[in-house]
Each structure stands twice: as C-alpha cells, then as structure tokens.
Amino acid sequence: RLWPVTCHPHTLDNRKMTALLIICFCLILGSLGKPQFPEQEKDPKFWNAWAQRTLKNALTLQELNKNKAKNLILFLGDGMGVPTVTAARILKGQLNGQNGEETQLEMDKFPFVSLSKTYNTNAQVPDSAGTATAYLCGVKANEGTVGVSAAAVRSQCNTTQGNEVTSILKWAKDAGKSVGIVTTTRVNHATPSAAYAHCVDRDWYSDNEMPAEALQAGCKDIARQLFENIPNIDVIMGGGRKYMFPKNASDIEYPNILKHSGTRKDGRNLVEEWVDRMRNKNGRYVWNKTQLLTLNPNNVDYLLGLFEPGDMTYDLERNTESDPSLTEMVDVAIKILKKNPSGFYLLVEGGRIDHGHHEGKAKQALHEAVEMDRAIGRAGLLTSDHETLTIVTADHSHVFSFGGYTPRGNTIFGLAPMLSDVDQKPFTSILYGNGPGYKVINGARENVSTVDYKGNNYQAQAAVPLNAETHGGEDVAVFAKGPLAHLLHGVHEQNYIPHVMAYAACIGQNREHCMSSSGSAGLRPAFSIVATILSAARLLC
C-alpha cells in the first residue's frame, strides 16, 4: 500500500505548489519502486514457524552454562544506545542487499540481554569516564574521572590519593591471565584509561594537558600511567601516538603536520621505553596495518600498536592499505592472548560510534557500529562459548532517533515518506534532539532535498543548536553469552557488570564460590575439546 503523503498545495503560491507536487510525486514513486516486504511474510505459517524455532532455542537456555570462565571479553560500543543498535542492524542488512529490519547483528544472537542504568554519581546523563569506572572498576564515579571513587573531585589532583579503585583488567592480570585493550580511539581516552589509570581528569592525556599545580602535586598523566601502573599489559592497540613522544617530535606517519607531533613536556619517549623493556620478552611495536598483519602471533607475547597520532579514522574513511580495522585488531589480539593456558581478559572499544553522533554524522556512527559487530563475530569464531564469557554493551546513549513512519526497507539514511504538515518540507528519518545539524535558511528549516542527505558526513537535522550533540540518559542494553551469562538479567546498575565477569572467572574480591567444601573447584571447568566436539556432533546429527 502507499504510505500517506501529506501535502497542502492550497496554502502555497503556484511556484511553490509545483515544487511541492514534484516532491510528493517522487516520494510516491519511490515507494512504488520497491516491494514493501517479502511475499512469504503474507503467510501466517512463515511467522508461526519462525516463532516455533525461536521457542525451541529458548527452551534450551534452561540448561544454564555454569562453567568457570577461562576467558573474558567486553565489547564496549561507546554511545551505542538502543536506537543505534536497531539502526545498525538495519544498515547491516541493507549493506547485504536486504530490507534490513529482519537482519541479525552478532550481538542479537547472544542468549541473555539486560539493561544497564548509566547515570554517574553526580550526573543524570553520564560521560564516558565515570561510566568506564563503573563497568571496569565496579564502582560508580563522578563524570570526568577515571579509576577513582566518587570521593575524588574532577580536576582536583589532591583528591586522587586514597580514592583509587582497581579494574577487572588488573584483577585478571593479578590472577595470571593475559590482558589486552583494543580501541578505535586513543588508547588513553576515557574508556580504556579506566582499565589502568587513576586520574581525576579524563583530559590529562599527557603532561602537556595538565595544569602546573597538578604536576607539582605529583599527579601523573594518563599516557604515563598506561605504561607504569600495570607495566605488562599484554596487548595495547589503538590511536594516541602523539601523547607518547617528546613535544614537537615529528610523527612517523605525518612528519610535516605540526598538530600530529609529540606533546610530552617531560621529554620522555614512552614507546622507546616500552620497546627497551620488552626487548627480551617477545614484545613488538607496530604503527601500521602491514606491520600488524605480518606478525606471527605465536612469536609475540607483548604487542603495542599505535596506528594514529590521535583517534583512529572513521571506518568509512579508513585507508585500508595502512590502517587496520577493528576486526583485524581484535583478531590479532585474541590470537596472542589465547596462548596463555590461564586465559585472558580483553577490552574492545568501538569508540568512534560516539564521535559520529557528537558530530551529528549518523552515517559515520552507524558504520562504526556495524564494524564493531563484525569484530564481535570474529571474536566468536576464535573462542568457545563453553569457556569464554562475552559481554557487549554501551557506556551511554545519545539523543539519536529514527522515525517518520518509514516503509519497510527504506534506506536508514533516507527520507520519511511524508512532508511536514507544518512547514511542508521533507525530513530524514534520522534526527537528533540537539547538535550541529540545526540549520535555519532564510528564517526557516533547511529543505533537506536540496542537500546530499545520504553523504558520509551529512549532519542530520537537530531540534536544538549545539556545536556538539549530547549523550542520552536512558538505559543501555547488555548482551551476554558464555559461562554465567544468565547473571545479566533484568535491570542493573552499570557497576554490576565487572562483578559478574569476575565471579564467572573466579578472580577479584569474591572467590569463595570457586571452592567446594572438599577444596575442589565449585564452578565446573569448561568442557574439554573432545567433549565440545562430541556435543557439537550430537547437535548436527
């Protein structure tokens, strides 16, 4: 059927009426040219059969996986609220030639889903630093602070000491596991820094960004803490190269661009120091895709990969010859970490989902989310659900939405099938509550049909003008699979997440459940390889 097209030509002069009729005709033609939905969906048997398959799968979840988690993986989509997940699902399907709505993301396949309350101790709508402290260190904290409790005050150096809190990455390292951090932002950005740093200001990337009084009081910048607090993090990959080198030192990739030069006032070369320390420990430093992908993971025990001076480039703009994708980084990371017989903990951040939204560039944000979903799929192929607890979540949402009664299969970046019944202009399905996309032309809302609204860097229209779009305050989804994944159910505080992961892996503060009265392990060790193969064979035959 045709979707309603609201037109009011009687309110316009002849010239405007002609233009309006053309737009209306184009919208109608667009809806006619594409089948609304697959023919099989007209038959109730299609939906009933699908539901029955889903029901049978759901019944198998009664046999809960209570194994001890050897490995822990946390995928963090920065800013990946539920509307972003849904839109990314549609985009993934459309990139594969489908309508999109019926597509499954890798995270959609996880058997357990819950909601996480994201507020900071001092903020209803949170930031990425306070939330990172919650889902990595297990305690809620103030916005703008990482690895410290809510007793610490942002930017006040003298409130750091005594208020430090440790992360699950450290708990795993202390338990003998290998640990890794992979991000598409700077490795000393808010999300990864809470895994290793204790800092009252998320913006203290190097000593160059710190006030003199904080340095005099003995506070350390985040880049320095990356290498000093937990000196043997097995895998570190992302951007942030310039914060590791002396001030004005030329960048190896962009030697003639001043903004990419080193920033450190203390003159230290943290990369060189790391290389020297790891020289006899099978450590490797890489800064481009070729170096990364030519490594033999069997011969590498420690890896430092810094692929950009700042954040890594958006996946849509990535130089595929020189810059690795998130999936490629995750692949190498897991192959190195999984060599440890005691298992590993890996933090993976799809960090530029957040940046795309802040810039009002929904296309960039959603392609970042689809790339993170590819990385989730790759991690699933390299690990086993019997022994690996994998969680996918977000730190917070954004004021991002899509709507407008779009028909089935409408491109996610397309127009709604109607005109506004107020200003008689078309509008895109994707809109923001606030941000840089707010535009007024001659005292009225911009006519989006006159611009390239499907462009990679198009800024979707926003209700309130801001230089940068803001976070959203609603709950975010938590997807979980693997040992004890069922402990993530219902609605939880965000700081609950690392406690579940630690409990499943028998690390951290409460390990009593890991020992029975006889002294043997209370949680079952994961199935042996043979048992896993036999189990799979039964399912297939």
Side-chain angles (χ1 to χ4, degrees):
R1 64 189 177 91
L2 296 181
W3 288 83
V5 178
T6 307
C7 303
H8 297 289
H10 61 277
T11 65
L12 306 171
D13 59 28
N14 290 337
R15 192 168 47 188
K16 289 183 178 178
M17 180 170 63
T18 301
L20 180 59
L21 288 172
I22 291 172
I23 293 172
C24 290
F25 177 75
C26 290
L27 290 171
I28 293 170
L29 196 63
S31 66
L32 286 173
K34 189 171 196 175
Q36 295 296 307
F37 54 84
E39 188 68 23
Q40 61 185 351
E41 294 184 12
K42 294 180 180 179
D43 188 346
K45 292 179 182 177
F46 169 81
W47 297 106
N48 291 334
W50 192 347
Q52 289 300 313
R53 289 194 302 271
T54 305
L55 180 61
K56 288 179 180 178
N57 288 335
L59 289 170
T60 66
L61 299 181
Q62 293 177 350
E63 300 174 12
L64 299 176
N65 181 346
K66 295 184 179 180
N67 298 333
K68 177 180 176 181
K70 177 182 177 182
N71 308 314
L72 302 168
I73 305 176
L74 177 64
F75 279 94
L76 193 285
D78 198 311
M80 191 181 70
V82 172
T84 299
V85 172
T86 308
R89 176 188 306 129
I90 294 171
L91 174 59
K92 177 184 178 181
Q94 292 180 349
L95 290 172
N96 292 326
Q98 303 165 335
N99 278 331
E101 299 84 1
E102 71 290 343
T103 302
Q104 269 195 315
L105 292 168
E106 293 298 327
M107 64 187 91
D108 291 341
K109 301 172 187 176
F110 285 27
F112 298 97
V113 182
S114 59
L115 292 176
S116 166
K117 295 156 64 177
T118 64
Y119 67 91
N120 295 148
T121 48
N122 65 340
Q124 185 178 76
V125 178
D127 91 315
S128 297
T131 51
T133 305
Y135 61 76
L136 291 174
C137 302
V139 300
K140 290 223 171 194
N142 293 328
E143 63 176 343
T145 65
V146 292
V148 289
S149 71
V153 181
R154 183 170 189 174
S155 302
Q156 293 187 18
C157 174
N158 62 358
T159 65
T160 308
Q161 192 168 359
N163 294 321
E164 300 92 342
V165 290
T166 58
S167 76
I168 187 169
L169 182 140
K170 188 173 191 308
W171 309 341
K173 190 67 174 175
D174 290 345
K177 295 184 183 296
S178 293
V179 295
I181 296 169
V182 175
T183 179
T184 53
T185 65
R186 288 153 276 185
V187 294
N188 50 346
H189 208 250
T191 295
S193 63
Y196 57 81
H198 311 290
C199 192
V200 291
D201 199 314
R202 57 174 286 178
D203 296 329
W204 291 353
Y205 300 119
S206 73
D207 59 351
N208 183 63
E209 290 75 39
M210 295 178 65
E213 55 269 24
L215 289 168
Q216 291 165 3
C219 279
K220 296 180 180 179
D221 64 85
I222 297 172
R224 182 179 166 191
Q225 293 191 55
L226 171 61
F227 297 104
E228 294 181 0
N229 289 5
I230 309 174
N232 293 324
I233 296 176
D234 302 79
V235 173
I236 303 166
M237 279 192 276
R241 214 163 39 216
K242 66 181 180 180
Y243 304 106
M244 316 301 170
F245 290 91
K247 194 169 183 65
N248 297 325
S250 292
D251 183 74
I252 191 166
E253 190 174 5
Y254 311 100
N256 300 316
I257 303 178
L258 189 61
K259 69 176 182 178
H260 293 325
S261 297
T263 65
R264 301 200 63 81
K265 289 181 177 178
D266 60 10
R268 292 177 63 178
N269 184 327
L270 298 181
V271 170
E272 190 175 79
E273 293 177 17
W274 183 91
V275 170
D276 288 342
R277 192 168 71 243
M278 298 299 176
R279 196 172 299 280
N280 298 318
K281 297 182 179 180
N282 291 328
R284 299 288 186 274
Y285 168 65
V286 296
W287 61 269
N288 61 52
K289 176 178 176 176
T290 301
Q291 292 175 342
L292 176 67
L293 298 188
T294 53
L295 290 175
N296 181 346
N298 293 323
N299 299 330
V300 179
D301 295 328
Y302 295 94
L303 175 62
L304 174 62
L306 300 175
F307 303 105
E308 286 292 328
D311 300 317
M312 296 185 69
T313 54
Y314 285 123
D315 196 64
L316 270 178
E317 300 172 352
R318 180 170 59 89
N319 183 329
T320 57
E321 297 297 317
S322 60
D323 299 331
S325 67
L326 182 61
T327 301
E328 288 165 340
M329 291 192 290
V330 167
D331 179 88
V332 175
I334 291 177
K335 287 175 179 175
I336 292 173
L337 297 173
K338 71 188 297 187
K339 294 185 299 180
N340 187 337
S342 297
F344 65 85
Y345 171 86
L346 176 62
L347 168 64
V348 181
E349 183 196 17
R352 303 222 64 196
I353 300 169
D354 176 73
H355 295 173
H357 281 322
H358 278 310
E359 295 175 0
K361 299 175 181 177
K363 191 166 187 177
Q364 298 285 10
L366 296 184
H367 275 269
E368 292 294 309
V370 170
E371 172 56 26
M372 192 181 84
D373 197 63
R374 290 191 195 101
I376 293 168
R378 184 60 187 153
L381 292 174
L382 292 171
T383 57
S384 163
D385 292 352
H386 292 299
E387 62 178 14
T388 302
L389 172 60
T390 304
I391 294 174
V392 179
T393 188
D395 47 357
H396 54 74
S397 186
H398 277 267
V399 291
F400 161 86
S401 65
F402 69 100
Y405 302 117
T406 45
R408 179 77 175 272
N410 198 72
T411 170
I412 193 64
F413 304 116
L415 296 175
M418 63 180 72
L419 303 179
S420 164
D421 55 6
V422 176
D423 66 9
Q424 286 77 47
K425 292 178 182 176
F427 59 97
T428 54
S429 172
I430 287 175
L431 296 167
Y432 286 97
N434 57 50
Y438 178 94
K439 289 182 177 66
V440 174
I441 307 296
N442 297 325
R445 182 172 69 91
E446 182 180 53
N447 187 333
V448 296
S449 67
T450 65
V451 299
D452 181 14
Y453 56 82
K454 292 183 181 179
N456 290 354
N457 291 304
Y458 171 71
Q459 293 177 310
Q461 292 186 335
V464 176
L466 289 177
N467 287 326
E469 176 265 4
T470 71
H471 296 170
E474 74 270 24
D475 298 348
V476 297
V478 185
F479 305 85
K481 68 173 182 176
L484 300 183
H486 58 278
L487 296 180
L488 287 157
H489 63 282
V491 181
H492 298 290
E493 295 289 351
Q494 193 169 42
N495 67 294
Y496 174 66
I497 294 171
H499 291 280
V500 169
M501 299 184 84
Y503 186 93
C506 291
I507 61 174
Q509 61 182 332
N510 57 329
R511 297 194 292 269
E512 296 83 3
H513 64 286
C514 302
M515 303 296 292
S516 68
S517 56
S518 64
S520 60
L523 288 176
R524 297 196 306 263
F527 296 156
S528 68
I529 294 175
V530 173
T532 302
I533 293 173
L534 290 174
S535 176
R538 283 199 302 271
L539 290 172
L540 293 171
C541 296

